[in-house]
Amino acid sequence: MRTTNYPQEHTKSWYAATVSEVTDYPQLQDDLSVDICVVGAGFTGVATALTLAERGYSVALVEANRVGWGASGRNGGQLINGISGLAKIQKRYGDGIADMLWDLRWRGNDIVRERVARYDIDCDLRDGFVETAVKPRHVKDLEEWAAEMERRAFPHPWELWDRAKTRDMLGTDGYIGGFVSYHDGHLHPLNLCIGEARAAHGLGVRIFEQSPVTGIEHGPRPTVVTAKGRIHADSVVLAGNAYHFLEPKQLANLVFPAGSFIIATEPLPEGVAAEINPLDLAVCDMNEILDYYRLSPDRRLLYGGRCNYSGRDPASIKATLVPRMLDIYPQLKGVRVDYEWGGKIGIVLNRVPLLGRVHRNVYYCQGYSGHGVNATHILGEVTADAIGGTLETFDLFANYPHFRIPGSQWVGNQLIALGMLYFRMKDLL
């Protein structure tokens, strides 16, 4: 099975237009032997490869397109604590792991911040993320979250906003409350991914781009096969998420691609930017079908949302997202949109990321359901731990039951779309 149909360059996003470094790693054209081969150079693959290299393993990282080509280089750039499905993990295994899961949910923030500092990665990292309430039940949820932060004596700054404070800080009447965490934040995701890949390469990781994997030959030392080369390894990590179709017997119809789309406006006047986001925060509402946005360093509003779960792209991303943006910020009427782009994210039906092993030496880690920047770094480290023999956290996810939708991927996407219609109706109530 193939990872993609053919090698491709980056989508025409604001991120690609402002990237600090254009990668040009070679194609795989030889046979080589390493300790670990990682398939996929998005956040999961790059973060895992870097962790393994820091621990002394020899690593090869092979990518079908370019480093950060998929969701890792196209997303909203929001560094938000947590992993989707943690509440289900705790419910299954009991409250005895609650403290461990609390620490785990923040681990990705720490990894990213440590690496940005250690490897001097220029990715416009900014502090601050606000989750905004649209309905009274959202306010109650935020109040409960604030109580949990107080109970745990959380060491980093946070704030609970009422309606008036939210209006003052975000320049809109669209929300009735908010919760701000200053240990969360936002960044240029493509620059982060490329910067981490550069750090991994500096530690000896051999990176190959434009090299789609066509299959894996299993055995005591599995072999990763591309059109022009082969990599023999003690272990393999599959990190392709929504874009790979490897190991179909184990992984088919468990992760489904959903469309996620973003627009970038022209640079806003300083006064407008100060009105709608004076603290330069990442913003995300609490709807099930949510929207998210933030300002770029050049004062563009990057506004995104998951437009559909059917697997089809909208006829016009701009036409889909601009009305949603204007619902929140009618003062932006007439503002030009300079960029529009999208891509696929991996959705798991129960929202618990999909981790596991095939034949004990091929690991997979995917399906973050839209919460990827933090979760990829956390679970990349968890996967590296498992390769080193520490499986406790890995097995919490690997042993969680998942439901496989019978039939084609198209059927699965239509069922997800139907389910999301339910959540959309719930948002409207």
Side-chain angles (χ1 to χ4, degrees):
M1 299 295 290
R2 62 186 184 276
T3 51
T4 60
N5 291 325
Y6 52 87
Q8 301 176 55
E9 300 296 335
H10 286 288
T11 187
K12 294 181 179 180
S13 67
W14 177 80
Y15 297 132
T18 58
V19 71
S20 59
E21 176 185 348
V22 177
T23 61
D24 189 24
Y25 295 104
Q27 287 186 327
L28 177 65
Q29 300 191 58
D30 299 302
D31 279 22
L32 65 145
S33 179
V34 294
D35 296 331
I36 315 294
C37 178
V38 180
V39 179
F43 278 139
T44 301
V46 171
T48 305
L50 180 50
T51 298
L52 290 166
E54 289 172 337
R55 297 178 182 181
Y57 292 93
S58 63
V59 182
L61 177 61
V62 59
E63 163 60 39
N65 302 293
R66 295 291 181 194
V67 170
W69 177 87
S72 298
R74 308 182 191 191
N75 63 68
Q78 301 201 359
L79 180 65
I80 304 171
N81 74 88
I83 304 171
S84 65
L86 280 187
K88 293 180 179 179
I89 293 286
Q90 183 172 330
K91 182 177 180 180
R92 177 175 178 82
Y93 297 108
D95 292 339
I97 64 170
D99 290 343
M100 183 273 284
L101 294 181
W102 175 264
D103 292 339
L104 190 69
R105 75 176 302 122
W106 295 99
R107 179 59 187 149
N109 299 55
D110 295 336
I111 293 171
V112 170
R113 291 179 180 278
E114 290 165 3
R115 287 182 172 170
V116 166
R118 180 185 309 141
Y119 298 111
D120 193 25
I121 299 173
D122 182 9
C123 62
D124 302 317
L125 178 59
R126 303 287 191 270
D127 294 339
F129 159 71
V130 56
E131 193 168 22
T132 55
V134 182
K135 304 181 186 309
R137 57 184 164 87
H138 296 158
V139 174
K140 181 180 178 182
D141 290 341
L142 293 181
E143 290 171 345
E144 292 175 354
W145 181 242
E148 181 71 0
M149 297 286 266
E150 286 184 343
R151 187 180 74 81
R152 291 185 176 274
F154 190 66
H156 304 284
W158 58 270
E159 297 172 350
L160 183 64
W161 290 352
D162 61 14
R163 181 195 289 264
K165 178 74 170 181
T166 306
R167 172 65 181 84
D168 290 343
M169 291 296 96
L170 295 179
T172 176
D173 292 314
Y175 309 122
I176 60 175
F179 182 93
V180 186
S181 164
Y182 292 98
H183 193 49
D184 294 313
H186 57 101
L187 47 78
H188 190 302
L190 184 55
N191 276 342
L192 174 61
C193 195
I194 288 174
E196 288 185 287
R198 175 171 25 88
H201 189 255
L203 293 178
V205 174
R206 302 186 64 179
I207 301 176
F208 302 96
E209 294 182 313
Q210 304 288 291
S211 304
V213 171
T214 58
I216 297 174
E217 297 174 359
H218 292 285
R221 297 194 82 236
T223 299
V224 172
V225 181
T226 71
K228 298 180 179 180
R230 300 162 66 86
I231 301 174
H232 311 278
D234 294 327
S235 298
V236 173
V237 178
L238 301 181
N241 203 21
Y243 287 99
H244 86 77
F245 302 96
L246 298 167
E247 302 300 332
K249 289 183 179 180
Q250 288 77 20
L251 300 179
N253 296 333
L254 289 172
V255 175
F256 299 90
S260 185
F261 305 95
I262 303 176
I263 55 175
T265 69
E266 63 183 312
L268 302 177
E270 289 186 14
V272 174
E275 175 189 355
I276 67 173
N277 199 343
L279 299 181
D280 195 14
L281 304 172
V283 184
C284 182
D285 69 47
M286 296 179 68
N287 282 326
E288 296 286 349
I289 312 297
L290 55 84
D291 284 0
Y292 51 86
Y293 56 91
R294 64 190 183 92
L295 291 172
S296 67
D298 59 351
R299 298 195 310 277
R300 300 175 188 272
L301 186 65
L302 309 183
Y303 196 97
R306 281 183 287 283
C307 298
N308 70 70
Y309 288 76
S310 68
R312 302 188 184 96
D313 292 343
S316 169
I317 295 170
K318 181 169 67 173
T320 302
L321 286 178
V322 167
R324 293 160 73 160
M325 178 183 75
L326 295 180
D327 281 345
I328 301 299
Y329 291 116
Q331 61 267 52
L332 298 185
K333 185 176 181 180
V335 168
R336 187 180 71 243
V337 172
D338 285 347
Y339 298 90
E340 53 183 317
W341 71 93
K344 305 301 183 187
I345 59 175
I347 297 290
V348 182
L349 288 182
N350 60 19
R351 297 301 193 267
V352 176
L354 196 68
L355 275 69
R357 292 189 289 176
V358 180
H359 300 296
R360 299 192 64 80
N361 55 13
V362 176
Y363 297 76
Y364 54 87
C365 182
Q366 60 191 77
Y368 311 106
S369 301
H371 299 273
V373 180
N374 185 289
T376 49
H377 287 81
I378 298 169
L379 297 177
E381 185 174 75
V382 168
T383 301
D385 290 343
I387 290 171
T390 303
L391 290 157
E392 287 83 355
T393 304
F394 184 89
D395 283 346
L396 292 177
F397 293 88
N399 293 333
Y400 195 90
H402 290 273
F403 176 70
R404 188 189 304 271
I405 295 179
S408 69
Q409 188 179 82
W410 184 89
V411 172
N413 272 101
Q414 305 321 301
L415 290 176
I416 290 176
L418 184 63
M420 296 315 294
L421 178 62
Y422 161 78
F423 285 116
R424 177 58 180 156
M425 297 303 296
K426 184 178 178 182
D427 286 338
L428 295 173
L429 294 177

